[in-house]
Amino acid sequence: MLQSWGVQLMTMLTVTLSVLIFSFFFLIYTNMIHVGDKIGGELRLIVYLESELGPQQQDDLKKKITSFRKVERIVFISPEEAFAQLGKQLGTDRDVLEDLDASFLPYSVEIYPHKNLKDLTHIKEFSDYLENLPDTIKVQYGHGWVERFGYFTKLLRFVVIISGFLLILTTMFMVSSTLRLTLYARQKELKVLRYLGATNGYIEGPVLLEGFTLGVLGATSGLFALFFLFQWIKSHFSGPGLMNLFEINFLPWPYCAIILFCSVLFCTFGSLLSIRKFLKI
Amino acid sequence: MQENTMEKPTFTFQPTPEDISTQTGAVMVELVKVTKIYPPDVVALRNVSFTARRGEIIFLTGASGAGKSTLLKLLCRQERPTKGLIEINGTDINKLKSAATQRLRQNIGVAYQDFRLLPRQSVYQNIAMAMEVQFKSVKEIRQRVTELLDKLSLIEKRNKPAGKLSRGEQQRVVIARAVANAPPLLLADEPTGNLDSNTTLLVMGLFHELNESGSAIIIATHDKSIYEGSNHRQFELHQGEITQIT
Ligand SMILES: Nc1ncnc2c1ncn2[C@@H]1O[C@H](COP(=O)(O)OP(=O)(O)OP(=O)(O)O)[C@@H](O)[C@H]1O
Ligand SMILES: [Mg+2]
């Protein structure tokens, strides 16, 4: 058995690495979602209108908007309200508005879209649609990069799924082929054990345990590696700047538990695969 | 003496309502018209019928190539018969599934003609293995293995790798492994082939001890010294056919 220690270690490191890769992308993804929620919360489209709309026209416009896409809410803003808002935003500088009156501001509608990935990534289309409505002068929406952010998150989700698949494949494949190697080396012994009446359980037990142990050790060290990587990134990139916007958090422990559990499950299953052909009598 | 502390050997692989193997004289092994042909056309056994009872010692003799080993291999389900019925303890062993086969094998001690030891494992480990697969306790294993090593005068070799032993020493290790669990049925294939007369006596002493505690023993041998003048039944195989001599 001793000569196979190197192989066992390699297998464990492979498990570690795949867990690290997967959980790294997953960590970024969960944080992006978190940031997405924040941005989505502030996100709105502002449609500037030609003129004031009566209640009937307001209803018509609402229908037109919602017929294109369901939204969270629609708020009609009069120039006076817009003026008050502007004043609030300016804070101590509000005296620049002193000589002005509200009438220079147009009537507008604020549209708050649903905060999901699909609506975020398709916000441009929505804005184009609104632009072409008869009453519209102009459409403004918060940050142009919201859309790109949406796409990026989507891409990331894809990467997470792919690396998840890789995690499953590598752990199962590596564990089962490593154990198969050690089983080949022990083939003669297994044969003798069978002649002595060793049950499937007797032969399977240690192999399953080995797969299980590889899974536990590999996944735990993968998660620990992620944690240290996370700490390192946090200490190097936090401070003033863009990173402050994204307050990154580590994976919540139930996710870690699930990752650990699944890796152990796949490793154990892999070890079961390796032994099947050795159980024939 | 060992047999006082040992349980009566009993088949456990398929308990029947009244476990017949516990009654002395009950049929333990029954072969009915068994033929074994190794592909493509080597007829190793031809229409062999034969019965062994509980607590019996049986000698199988015959020229080299007569089919003695084949007969023993059929009994521990290492080979399958081409034709015929083999019952052990009232069960047709051909119908056994994997798990039951393993239980059958746990109940039969086999001293193989070709040894089948693990050369790199110690003598002790090779013997202990037979008990470990039955999940016997470490203490029980240590006691029994030490006792057997002592009885077969192998005690100084206990930590040597089995592959480094002489043929005669290896032979005794195989025998120790076969009797370790005090099986109700013991199959010994040429057990004294490599032994001097004193060591042969040690081994036969061990067999008789096991037999007195109730085990049936089938010994395939060329060694006249162990069966001549004994009052046990003797069968001779001749080109795959069996005849009872005594
Ligand atoms: N696995 C096998 N494949 C093909 N033929 C075999 C096989 N095993 C044994 N035989 C043949 O079957 C016949 C009986 O062999 P077996 O080993 O039973 O003889 P034996 O009585 O034990 O001989 P010995 O006293 O030399 O051990 C022989 O002709 C042998 O060549
Ligand atoms: Mg033979």
Side-chain angles (χ1 to χ4, degrees), chain A residues 3 185-186 188-203 279-281, chain B residues 77-78 98 101-103 105-106 112 116-121 129-130 132-135 177:
Chain A
Q3 67 269 39
R186 288 178 59 208
K188 209 179 150 214
E189 182 188 343
L190 291 182
K191 207 166 170 191
V192 172
L193 285 174
R194 291 305 263 182
Y195 285 142
L196 294 176
T199 53
N200 287 0
Y202 183 86
I203 292 175
L279 288 180
K280 283 187 237 133
I281 30 166
Chain B
R77 209 168 184 264
Q78 204 190 307
S98 166
T101 304
Q102 295 310 320
R103 258 176 290 144
R105 286 175 175 173
Q106 291 188 5
Y112 295 97
R116 304 196 185 166
L117 294 170
L118 296 176
R120 280 196 284 186
Q121 307 256 17
M129 211 158 58
E132 280 167 3
V133 302
Q134 297 190 24
F135 302 104
R177 188 181 65 185

Side-chain angles (χ1 to χ4, degrees), chain A residues 130-171:
Chain A
L130 296 171
E131 193 101 43
N132 290 324
L133 291 177
D135 303 309
T136 307
I137 312 174
K138 185 173 185 271
V139 180
Q140 238 182 25
Y141 62 93
H143 325 279
W145 50 273
V146 165
E147 197 182 9
R148 260 171 283 147
F149 174 83
Y151 274 120
F152 184 63
T153 314
K154 236 179 170 176
L155 179 74
L156 202 60
R157 187 166 65 184
F158 184 67
V159 173
V160 168
I161 293 170
I162 293 289
S163 60
F165 265 115
L166 281 178
L167 171 72
I168 296 172
L169 285 183
T170 47
T171 48

Side-chain angles (χ1 to χ4, degrees), chain B residues 110-129:
Chain B
V110 189
Y112 295 97
Q113 190 173 15
D114 54 357
F115 298 171
R116 304 196 185 166
L117 294 170
L118 296 176
R120 280 196 284 186
Q121 307 256 17
S122 69
V123 168
Y124 183 93
Q125 190 50 41
N126 266 285
I127 302 171
M129 211 158 58

Side-chain angles (χ1 to χ4, degrees), chain A residues 23-38 223 226-235 238 243-256 259:
Chain A
S23 54
F24 177 72
F25 286 126
F26 192 58
L27 174 71
I28 298 178
Y29 179 69
T30 49
N31 278 289
M32 291 291 267
I33 296 263
H34 189 67
V35 174
D37 273 355
K38 253 167 111 187
L223 287 172
L226 179 74
F227 184 72
F228 289 121
L229 187 67
F230 168 78
Q231 292 291 356
W232 185 82
I233 290 177
K234 214 172 163 173
S235 66
S238 63
M243 269 313 208
N244 261 354
L245 179 63
F246 313 90
E247 209 229 306
I248 52 171
N249 294 305
F250 196 64
L251 292 174
W253 72 264
Y255 287 173
C256 295
I259 292 175

Side-chain angles (χ1 to χ4, degrees), chain B residues 119-238:
Chain B
R120 280 196 284 186
Q121 307 256 17
S122 69
V123 168
Y124 183 93
Q125 190 50 41
N126 266 285
I127 302 171
M129 211 158 58
M131 300 180 78
E132 280 167 3
V133 302
Q134 297 190 24
F135 302 104
K136 299 272 170 72
S137 77
V138 178
K139 186 163 165 260
E140 192 185 348
I141 294 176
R142 194 174 44 224
Q143 264 179 7
R144 176 72 173 152
V145 176
T146 311
E147 178 200 331
L148 286 169
L149 287 172
D150 192 35
K151 282 185 177 166
L152 293 168
S153 63
L154 282 170
I155 205 85
E156 305 97 77
K157 314 277 179 187
R158 57 178 294 160
N159 294 320
K160 262 194 138 183
K164 295 253 163 76
L165 301 183
S166 74
R167 297 282 296 167
E169 287 163 340
Q170 289 187 10
Q171 180 120 56
R172 280 175 278 159
V173 178
V174 177
I175 288 163
R177 188 181 65 185
V179 302
N181 291 303
L185 177 60
L186 176 70
L187 310 176
D189 199 346
E190 212 64 69
T192 59
N194 299 286
L195 303 180
D196 61 54
S197 55
N198 279 334
T199 326
T200 299
L201 284 178
L202 282 184
V203 169
M204 289 314 289
L206 193 61
F207 285 174
H208 280 116
E209 203 177 278
L210 187 68
N211 175 246
E212 272 153 32
S213 74
S215 300
I217 304 180
I218 302 177
I219 304 171
T221 187
H222 296 291
D223 187 353
K224 283 203 172 68
S225 75
I226 62 173
Y227 62 84
E228 266 185 359
S230 81
N231 52 357
H232 301 297
R233 287 201 292 159
Q234 184 199 336
F235 290 86
E236 187 174 288
L237 278 165
H238 181 66

Side-chain angles (χ1 to χ4, degrees), chain A residues 70-104:
Chain A
K70 293 266 175 293
V71 296
E72 213 167 84
R73 72 201 149 93
I74 298 172
V75 186
F76 287 88
I77 307 276
S78 66
E80 288 74 24
E81 286 163 324
F83 191 69
Q85 261 184 21
L86 191 58
K88 236 189 256 163
Q89 277 166 19
L90 288 171
T92 52
D93 297 329
R94 65 183 311 152
D95 41 331
V96 298
L97 298 176
E98 219 159 273
D99 302 329
L100 301 168
D101 93 325
S103 60
F104 82 98

